[in-house]
Amino acid sequence: MSHVRADAAGQPQPDREPPSGTRGYLVRQPLFTLRSELVGYELLVGVDDGQRGEDGGEDGGEGGGEDAAALRGLIARGDLVVVLEAFADDRPVFLRVDAATLASDELRELPAETVVLQLDVGGSVAPGLLEECGRVVADGYRLALTVGAQGADAALLDLAEYTEVDFAATTPQQRADLVAWLRRHSTTIVARNVDTHEELAEAKGLGCDLAHGFFFHQPQRRGEATVPAHARSHLQLLAEMQREELDYPRVARLVKQDVDLAYKFLTYLNSAALGLRRRIESLEEALVLLGERRVRRWVQAAAVQHLTPHKPTELTVNAAIRAQLCETIGRELGLGSRSLELFTVGLFSLADAMFDRPMEKALRGVPITDEVRRTLLGERTAFSDPLELVVAYERGDWRQVDLIAERLGRPEAPFFQMYSSALLWAHEVFDTV
């Protein structure tokens, strides 16, 4: 996994910056086992700058014409290899392609050990597609076929390591019939666009193997879950982070109450990403040396992670990415003086899923400002637009990203670079917590 270093202001800086010519939208989405264990990622690619034409797909993340052209441009320039190195985290990355991309010579520049090529297929096979799929499989690439309700050609299925059933595009009966049919083939079945725990339970009942979607962003129905009793020190730490001026001795005492957290804080400080020239042994010295901005961000993210040990790490990673992106986009929109609140909005925007409670109850006892709380409960505030933009980007809804960005004024920094920095920063934090 590529790591990040921090600049003098505490901003995350990837060790390998995105290529300067890289524009467009790129986001990764997780792929899980049905027990919510991370398996890999899907990488969505889209066109930015509001230049999407009529041939773009209705769902920007599903490989519309311009999005496919943007992907081929990334491959041709060699940028996608750098992206994969930064985003893959040593796991397979599913990449949606069209027939033209599949047949391109540039495709062979991508690492076959990392990339899984996704392809939408119907009941009939276009001329030459079977042969082209056979060639890429012979070259060592794995195929994932998204199969519609009408099924797919059996010879094509025999080439696929994965088959995907789209829960957003099929009825329950169609899904049941498709999975029963796919079970006759030697293929790993992926339930795609699973966005609720009820759909995840359905996928399990059907006999699917993996799940893609945002079900893990939803609270599970477990009765009245409460914030664990041992979390008191972490909530006190979160409260301390909201103060206008940090009381470093008090922060140090609170961190020391959790030996594991204190150890991980020192580990983070001594990591290569921060580039310090000597090893730091004292927690008090570490806090001062790290600086107020970075202390606030790391402590908040680490405390949230420790409050939700039973949840997939990807949930808190996504929350940290949202936090960093909300702050960065807010700064671009003239809200730089409120950067801490923007960060907090993003970090707690998934509090209902973290604590398995409705958002209003999840936020009880969490030390946040009134405006942050109102934003998270759905009221319109100065923080609503940045959060909505971040959520649209996270989901690969490029049309919605364009609409919000044009209404607010498109940030000068490319979205991809802001997202890439936020993702790498989140991983640097959670590598140590």
Side-chain angles (χ1 to χ4, degrees), residues 188-237:
T188 298
I189 301 175
V190 180
R192 180 172 169 73
N193 289 322
V194 175
D195 288 337
T196 68
H197 289 286
E198 291 76 17
E199 288 178 339
L200 182 65
E202 179 188 344
K204 290 178 181 178
L206 292 175
C208 296
D209 302 298
L210 304 175
H212 158 277
F214 287 97
F215 62 90
F216 68 107
H217 281 190
Q218 302 299 318
Q220 292 179 270
R221 295 178 180 175
R222 293 178 173 171
E224 283 297 301
T226 58
V227 177
H230 70 269
R232 184 173 180 180
S233 64
H234 297 123
L235 290 175
Q236 289 176 324
L237 265 173

Short mmCIF file of all heavy atoms in Angstrom, two decimals, residues 188-237:
data_model
loop_
_atom_site.label_atom_id
_atom_site.label_comp_id
_atom_site.label_asym_id
_atom_site.label_seq_id
_atom_site.Cartn_x
_atom_site.Cartn_y
_atom_site.Cartn_z
N THR A 188 -17.69 -17.80 -9.21
CA THR A 188 -17.98 -17.13 -7.94
C THR A 188 -19.07 -16.09 -8.20
O THR A 188 -18.90 -15.22 -9.06
CB THR A 188 -16.72 -16.44 -7.40
OG1 THR A 188 -15.72 -17.43 -7.14
CG2 THR A 188 -17.02 -15.68 -6.12
N ILE A 189 -20.17 -16.18 -7.47
CA ILE A 189 -21.32 -15.32 -7.73
C ILE A 189 -21.28 -14.10 -6.82
O ILE A 189 -21.21 -14.22 -5.60
CB ILE A 189 -22.65 -16.08 -7.53
CG1 ILE A 189 -22.70 -17.30 -8.47
CG2 ILE A 189 -23.84 -15.16 -7.78
CD1 ILE A 189 -23.90 -18.17 -8.25
N VAL A 190 -21.31 -12.92 -7.44
CA VAL A 190 -21.26 -11.64 -6.72
C VAL A 190 -22.64 -11.00 -6.76
O VAL A 190 -23.20 -10.79 -7.84
CB VAL A 190 -20.23 -10.68 -7.36
CG1 VAL A 190 -20.18 -9.36 -6.58
CG2 VAL A 190 -18.85 -11.32 -7.42
N ALA A 191 -23.19 -10.71 -5.60
CA ALA A 191 -24.42 -9.93 -5.51
C ALA A 191 -24.04 -8.46 -5.61
O ALA A 191 -23.33 -7.95 -4.73
CB ALA A 191 -25.14 -10.23 -4.21
N ARG A 192 -24.48 -7.79 -6.64
CA ARG A 192 -24.05 -6.42 -6.92
C ARG A 192 -25.12 -5.42 -6.51
O ARG A 192 -26.31 -5.68 -6.60
CB ARG A 192 -23.74 -6.31 -8.41
CG ARG A 192 -23.28 -4.95 -8.85
CD ARG A 192 -22.79 -4.94 -10.30
NE ARG A 192 -22.60 -3.58 -10.75
CZ ARG A 192 -21.60 -2.81 -10.36
NH1 ARG A 192 -20.69 -3.31 -9.53
NH2 ARG A 192 -21.49 -1.58 -10.80
N ASN A 193 -24.68 -4.24 -6.04
CA ASN A 193 -25.58 -3.17 -5.60
C ASN A 193 -26.51 -3.64 -4.47
O ASN A 193 -27.72 -3.42 -4.49
CB ASN A 193 -26.40 -2.62 -6.78
CG ASN A 193 -25.54 -1.83 -7.74
OD1 ASN A 193 -24.64 -1.10 -7.33
ND2 ASN A 193 -25.79 -1.98 -9.03
N VAL A 194 -25.88 -4.28 -3.48
CA VAL A 194 -26.60 -4.69 -2.27
C VAL A 194 -26.49 -3.54 -1.28
O VAL A 194 -25.43 -3.31 -0.70
CB VAL A 194 -25.98 -5.98 -1.70
CG1 VAL A 194 -26.62 -6.35 -0.37
CG2 VAL A 194 -26.12 -7.12 -2.70
N ASP A 195 -27.59 -2.83 -1.08
CA ASP A 195 -27.53 -1.58 -0.31
C ASP A 195 -28.25 -1.64 1.03
O ASP A 195 -28.29 -0.63 1.75
CB ASP A 195 -28.09 -0.43 -1.14
CG ASP A 195 -27.14 -0.03 -2.28
OD1 ASP A 195 -25.93 -0.32 -2.16
OD2 ASP A 195 -27.61 0.55 -3.27
N THR A 196 -28.82 -2.79 1.39
CA THR A 196 -29.47 -2.93 2.70
C THR A 196 -29.08 -4.27 3.30
O THR A 196 -28.66 -5.19 2.60
CB THR A 196 -31.00 -2.87 2.58
OG1 THR A 196 -31.47 -4.04 1.89
CG2 THR A 196 -31.46 -1.62 1.85
N HIS A 197 -29.24 -4.38 4.61
CA HIS A 197 -28.96 -5.66 5.27
C HIS A 197 -29.99 -6.73 4.89
O HIS A 197 -29.67 -7.92 4.90
CB HIS A 197 -28.90 -5.46 6.79
CG HIS A 197 -27.69 -4.71 7.23
ND1 HIS A 197 -26.42 -5.27 7.25
CD2 HIS A 197 -27.54 -3.42 7.63
CE1 HIS A 197 -25.56 -4.36 7.67
NE2 HIS A 197 -26.20 -3.24 7.90
N GLU A 198 -31.19 -6.29 4.53
CA GLU A 198 -32.20 -7.23 4.06
C GLU A 198 -31.77 -7.85 2.73
O GLU A 198 -31.93 -9.06 2.51
CB GLU A 198 -33.55 -6.54 3.91
CG GLU A 198 -34.21 -6.13 5.21
CD GLU A 198 -33.59 -4.89 5.86
OE1 GLU A 198 -32.85 -4.15 5.16
OE2 GLU A 198 -33.81 -4.67 7.07
N GLU A 199 -31.20 -7.03 1.85
CA GLU A 199 -30.70 -7.56 0.57
C GLU A 199 -29.50 -8.47 0.80
O GLU A 199 -29.33 -9.47 0.09
CB GLU A 199 -30.34 -6.41 -0.37
CG GLU A 199 -31.56 -5.67 -0.91
CD GLU A 199 -31.20 -4.50 -1.79
OE1 GLU A 199 -30.06 -4.00 -1.70
OE2 GLU A 199 -32.06 -4.08 -2.59
N LEU A 200 -28.67 -8.14 1.79
CA LEU A 200 -27.54 -9.01 2.10
C LEU A 200 -28.04 -10.37 2.58
O LEU A 200 -27.50 -11.42 2.18
CB LEU A 200 -26.65 -8.36 3.16
CG LEU A 200 -25.39 -9.14 3.54
CD1 LEU A 200 -24.44 -9.24 2.36
CD2 LEU A 200 -24.70 -8.49 4.74
N ALA A 201 -29.07 -10.37 3.42
CA ALA A 201 -29.65 -11.63 3.88
C ALA A 201 -30.23 -12.42 2.72
O ALA A 201 -30.10 -13.65 2.65
CB ALA A 201 -30.73 -11.35 4.92
N GLU A 202 -30.83 -11.72 1.76
CA GLU A 202 -31.36 -12.38 0.57
C GLU A 202 -30.23 -13.02 -0.23
O GLU A 202 -30.34 -14.17 -0.68
CB GLU A 202 -32.11 -11.38 -0.31
CG GLU A 202 -32.68 -12.00 -1.59
CD GLU A 202 -33.26 -10.97 -2.55
OE1 GLU A 202 -33.50 -9.81 -2.13
OE2 GLU A 202 -33.46 -11.32 -3.72
N ALA A 203 -29.12 -12.29 -0.40
CA ALA A 203 -27.97 -12.83 -1.13
C ALA A 203 -27.43 -14.09 -0.46
O ALA A 203 -27.07 -15.06 -1.13
CB ALA A 203 -26.87 -11.77 -1.24
N LYS A 204 -27.38 -14.07 0.86
CA LYS A 204 -26.94 -15.26 1.59
C LYS A 204 -27.88 -16.42 1.34
O LYS A 204 -27.45 -17.56 1.08
CB LYS A 204 -26.87 -14.96 3.09
CG LYS A 204 -25.76 -14.03 3.52
CD LYS A 204 -25.83 -13.77 5.03
CE LYS A 204 -24.75 -12.81 5.48
NZ LYS A 204 -24.83 -12.51 6.93
N GLY A 205 -29.19 -16.15 1.42
CA GLY A 205 -30.17 -17.21 1.22
C GLY A 205 -30.14 -17.81 -0.17
O GLY A 205 -30.40 -19.01 -0.35
N LEU A 206 -29.80 -16.98 -1.17
CA LEU A 206 -29.73 -17.46 -2.55
C LEU A 206 -28.48 -18.30 -2.80
O LEU A 206 -28.44 -19.08 -3.75
CB LEU A 206 -29.74 -16.28 -3.52
CG LEU A 206 -31.05 -15.48 -3.61
CD1 LEU A 206 -30.87 -14.27 -4.53
CD2 LEU A 206 -32.18 -16.36 -4.12
N GLY A 207 -27.45 -18.11 -1.96
CA GLY A 207 -26.21 -18.85 -2.17
C GLY A 207 -25.15 -18.07 -2.91
O GLY A 207 -24.24 -18.67 -3.50
N CYS A 208 -25.25 -16.73 -2.90
CA CYS A 208 -24.18 -15.91 -3.50
C CYS A 208 -22.92 -16.04 -2.64
O CYS A 208 -22.97 -16.44 -1.48
CB CYS A 208 -24.62 -14.45 -3.58
SG CYS A 208 -26.04 -14.16 -4.66
N ASP A 209 -21.79 -15.68 -3.24
CA ASP A 209 -20.50 -15.82 -2.56
C ASP A 209 -19.96 -14.51 -2.02
O ASP A 209 -19.34 -14.47 -0.95
CB ASP A 209 -19.48 -16.44 -3.52
CG ASP A 209 -19.92 -17.78 -4.05
OD1 ASP A 209 -20.09 -18.70 -3.24
OD2 ASP A 209 -20.13 -17.89 -5.28
N LEU A 210 -20.16 -13.41 -2.78
CA LEU A 210 -19.61 -12.11 -2.43
C LEU A 210 -20.69 -11.06 -2.59
O LEU A 210 -21.71 -11.29 -3.25
CB LEU A 210 -18.40 -11.77 -3.31
CG LEU A 210 -17.24 -12.76 -3.35
CD1 LEU A 210 -16.20 -12.32 -4.38
CD2 LEU A 210 -16.60 -12.90 -1.98
N ALA A 211 -20.45 -9.87 -2.01
CA ALA A 211 -21.42 -8.79 -2.10
C ALA A 211 -20.71 -7.45 -2.34
O ALA A 211 -19.71 -7.16 -1.70
CB ALA A 211 -22.28 -8.71 -0.84
N HIS A 212 -21.28 -6.69 -3.25
CA HIS A 212 -20.85 -5.31 -3.52
C HIS A 212 -22.03 -4.40 -3.21
O HIS A 212 -23.18 -4.73 -3.51
CB HIS A 212 -20.43 -5.16 -4.99
CG HIS A 212 -20.47 -3.73 -5.49
ND1 HIS A 212 -21.65 -3.14 -5.92
CD2 HIS A 212 -19.51 -2.80 -5.60
CE1 HIS A 212 -21.38 -1.90 -6.30
NE2 HIS A 212 -20.10 -1.68 -6.12
N GLY A 213 -21.76 -3.26 -2.61
CA GLY A 213 -22.83 -2.33 -2.30
C GLY A 213 -22.59 -1.62 -0.99
O GLY A 213 -21.56 -1.82 -0.34
N PHE A 214 -23.55 -0.80 -0.57
CA PHE A 214 -23.38 0.03 0.61
C PHE A 214 -24.23 -0.43 1.78
O PHE A 214 -24.60 0.37 2.64
CB PHE A 214 -23.68 1.49 0.26
CG PHE A 214 -22.60 2.12 -0.58
CD1 PHE A 214 -22.71 2.19 -1.97
CD2 PHE A 214 -21.44 2.59 0.01
CE1 PHE A 214 -21.71 2.75 -2.74
CE2 PHE A 214 -20.42 3.15 -0.75
CZ PHE A 214 -20.56 3.23 -2.13
N PHE A 215 -24.51 -1.72 1.84
CA PHE A 215 -25.25 -2.26 2.98
C PHE A 215 -24.54 -1.96 4.30
O PHE A 215 -25.18 -1.77 5.35
CB PHE A 215 -25.44 -3.77 2.84
CG PHE A 215 -24.16 -4.56 2.80
CD1 PHE A 215 -23.59 -5.04 3.97
CD2 PHE A 215 -23.50 -4.80 1.60
CE1 PHE A 215 -22.39 -5.75 3.96
CE2 PHE A 215 -22.30 -5.51 1.57
CZ PHE A 215 -21.75 -5.98 2.75
N PHE A 216 -23.21 -1.91 4.28
CA PHE A 216 -22.46 -1.69 5.52
C PHE A 216 -22.55 -0.25 6.00
O PHE A 216 -22.09 0.07 7.10
CB PHE A 216 -21.00 -2.13 5.35
CG PHE A 216 -20.20 -1.28 4.39
CD1 PHE A 216 -19.24 -0.39 4.85
CD2 PHE A 216 -20.39 -1.38 3.01
CE1 PHE A 216 -18.50 0.38 3.97
CE2 PHE A 216 -19.64 -0.61 2.12
CZ PHE A 216 -18.70 0.27 2.61
N HIS A 217 -23.13 0.65 5.18
CA HIS A 217 -23.40 2.02 5.60
C HIS A 217 -24.73 2.15 6.31
O HIS A 217 -25.11 3.26 6.71
CB HIS A 217 -23.40 2.96 4.38
CG HIS A 217 -22.03 3.33 3.91
ND1 HIS A 217 -21.82 4.32 2.97
CD2 HIS A 217 -20.80 2.86 4.25
CE1 HIS A 217 -20.51 4.43 2.74
NE2 HIS A 217 -19.88 3.56 3.50
N GLN A 218 -25.46 1.05 6.47
CA GLN A 218 -26.77 1.08 7.09
C GLN A 218 -26.70 0.45 8.49
O GLN A 218 -25.97 -0.51 8.70
CB GLN A 218 -27.78 0.29 6.24
CG GLN A 218 -27.92 0.81 4.82
CD GLN A 218 -28.40 2.24 4.77
OE1 GLN A 218 -29.29 2.62 5.53
NE2 GLN A 218 -27.81 3.05 3.90
N PRO A 219 -27.49 1.00 9.43
CA PRO A 219 -27.52 0.37 10.77
C PRO A 219 -28.21 -0.98 10.72
O PRO A 219 -29.14 -1.18 9.93
CB PRO A 219 -28.31 1.37 11.61
CG PRO A 219 -29.13 2.15 10.62
CD PRO A 219 -28.33 2.20 9.36
N GLN A 220 -27.73 -1.92 11.52
CA GLN A 220 -28.38 -3.21 11.65
C GLN A 220 -29.39 -3.16 12.77
O GLN A 220 -29.20 -2.44 13.76
CB GLN A 220 -27.34 -4.31 11.92
CG GLN A 220 -26.44 -4.57 10.74
CD GLN A 220 -25.42 -5.65 11.04
OE1 GLN A 220 -24.33 -5.37 11.52
NE2 GLN A 220 -25.79 -6.89 10.77
N ARG A 221 -30.45 -3.92 12.63
CA ARG A 221 -31.50 -3.91 13.64
C ARG A 221 -31.11 -4.86 14.76
O ARG A 221 -31.30 -6.07 14.66
CB ARG A 221 -32.83 -4.32 13.02
CG ARG A 221 -33.33 -3.31 11.98
CD ARG A 221 -34.63 -3.75 11.34
NE ARG A 221 -35.08 -2.79 10.35
CZ ARG A 221 -36.14 -2.97 9.57
NH1 ARG A 221 -36.85 -4.09 9.67
NH2 ARG A 221 -36.50 -2.06 8.69
N ARG A 222 -30.54 -4.29 15.80
CA ARG A 222 -30.09 -5.10 16.94
C ARG A 222 -30.71 -4.60 18.23
O ARG A 222 -30.12 -4.69 19.29
CB ARG A 222 -28.57 -5.05 17.05
CG ARG A 222 -27.85 -5.73 15.90
CD ARG A 222 -26.36 -5.58 16.06
NE ARG A 222 -25.63 -6.35 15.06
CZ ARG A 222 -24.32 -6.26 14.87
NH1 ARG A 222 -23.60 -5.44 15.61
NH2 ARG A 222 -23.72 -6.98 13.95
N GLY A 223 -31.89 -4.01 18.15
CA GLY A 223 -32.49 -3.43 19.34
C GLY A 223 -31.83 -2.12 19.69
O GLY A 223 -31.29 -1.43 18.84
N GLU A 224 -31.86 -1.76 20.92
CA GLU A 224 -31.32 -0.49 21.37
C GLU A 224 -29.85 -0.64 21.71
O GLU A 224 -29.47 -0.80 22.88
CB GLU A 224 -32.11 0.03 22.58
CG GLU A 224 -33.45 0.64 22.21
CD GLU A 224 -33.29 1.85 21.32
OE1 GLU A 224 -32.64 2.82 21.75
OE2 GLU A 224 -33.80 1.83 20.19
N ALA A 225 -29.01 -0.65 20.70
CA ALA A 225 -27.57 -0.71 20.94
C ALA A 225 -27.13 0.58 21.64
O ALA A 225 -27.68 1.64 21.43
CB ALA A 225 -26.82 -0.87 19.63
N THR A 226 -26.15 0.48 22.50
CA THR A 226 -25.65 1.64 23.22
C THR A 226 -24.15 1.77 23.00
O THR A 226 -23.48 0.81 22.63
CB THR A 226 -25.91 1.51 24.73
OG1 THR A 226 -25.29 0.31 25.21
CG2 THR A 226 -27.40 1.45 25.01
N VAL A 227 -23.66 2.99 23.21
CA VAL A 227 -22.22 3.19 23.15
C VAL A 227 -21.61 2.42 24.31
O VAL A 227 -22.06 2.54 25.45
CB VAL A 227 -21.88 4.69 23.25
CG1 VAL A 227 -20.37 4.89 23.27
CG2 VAL A 227 -22.51 5.45 22.10
N PRO A 228 -20.60 1.58 24.09
CA PRO A 228 -20.07 0.73 25.16
C PRO A 228 -19.54 1.53 26.33
O PRO A 228 -19.04 2.65 26.19
CB PRO A 228 -18.94 -0.04 24.45
CG PRO A 228 -18.64 0.73 23.21
CD PRO A 228 -19.91 1.40 22.81
N ALA A 229 -19.62 0.92 27.52
CA ALA A 229 -19.23 1.61 28.76
C ALA A 229 -17.77 2.03 28.74
O ALA A 229 -17.40 3.08 29.25
CB ALA A 229 -19.52 0.72 29.95
N HIS A 230 -16.91 1.19 28.12
CA HIS A 230 -15.48 1.50 28.13
C HIS A 230 -15.14 2.69 27.23
O HIS A 230 -14.00 3.15 27.19
CB HIS A 230 -14.67 0.28 27.67
CG HIS A 230 -14.83 -0.01 26.20
ND1 HIS A 230 -15.80 -0.86 25.72
CD2 HIS A 230 -14.16 0.45 25.12
CE1 HIS A 230 -15.72 -0.92 24.40
NE2 HIS A 230 -14.73 -0.13 24.02
N ALA A 231 -16.16 3.20 26.52
CA ALA A 231 -15.91 4.27 25.55
C ALA A 231 -15.85 5.65 26.18
O ALA A 231 -15.63 6.64 25.48
CB ALA A 231 -16.99 4.25 24.47
N ARG A 232 -16.04 5.74 27.50
CA ARG A 232 -16.11 7.06 28.13
C ARG A 232 -14.87 7.91 27.84
O ARG A 232 -14.99 9.09 27.50
CB ARG A 232 -16.29 6.90 29.63
CG ARG A 232 -16.47 8.22 30.35
CD ARG A 232 -16.82 8.01 31.82
NE ARG A 232 -16.99 9.29 32.49
CZ ARG A 232 -17.31 9.42 33.76
NH1 ARG A 232 -17.49 8.34 34.50
NH2 ARG A 232 -17.43 10.61 34.31
N SER A 233 -13.70 7.31 27.94
CA SER A 233 -12.47 8.09 27.70
C SER A 233 -12.38 8.55 26.26
O SER A 233 -11.88 9.65 25.98
CB SER A 233 -11.23 7.27 28.07
OG SER A 233 -11.10 6.14 27.24
N HIS A 234 -12.90 7.73 25.33
CA HIS A 234 -12.87 8.12 23.92
C HIS A 234 -13.83 9.27 23.65
O HIS A 234 -13.52 10.19 22.88
CB HIS A 234 -13.20 6.92 23.03
CG HIS A 234 -12.20 5.81 23.14
ND1 HIS A 234 -12.54 4.53 23.49
CD2 HIS A 234 -10.85 5.80 22.98
CE1 HIS A 234 -11.46 3.78 23.51
NE2 HIS A 234 -10.43 4.53 23.22
N LEU A 235 -15.00 9.25 24.30
CA LEU A 235 -15.93 10.36 24.15
C LEU A 235 -15.36 11.64 24.77
O LEU A 235 -15.54 12.74 24.25
CB LEU A 235 -17.27 10.02 24.80
CG LEU A 235 -18.10 8.94 24.06
CD1 LEU A 235 -19.34 8.59 24.87
CD2 LEU A 235 -18.49 9.41 22.66
N GLN A 236 -14.65 11.49 25.88
CA GLN A 236 -13.99 12.65 26.49
C GLN A 236 -12.92 13.21 25.55
O GLN A 236 -12.77 14.43 25.42
CB GLN A 236 -13.37 12.27 27.83
CG GLN A 236 -14.39 12.01 28.93
CD GLN A 236 -13.74 11.53 30.22
OE1 GLN A 236 -12.76 10.79 30.19
NE2 GLN A 236 -14.28 11.96 31.35
N LEU A 237 -12.21 12.31 24.88
CA LEU A 237 -11.22 12.76 23.90
C LEU A 237 -11.88 13.52 22.76
O LEU A 237 -11.39 14.57 22.31
CB LEU A 237 -10.46 11.56 23.34
CG LEU A 237 -9.14 11.19 24.00
CD1 LEU A 237 -8.61 9.88 23.43
CD2 LEU A 237 -8.11 12.30 23.83
#
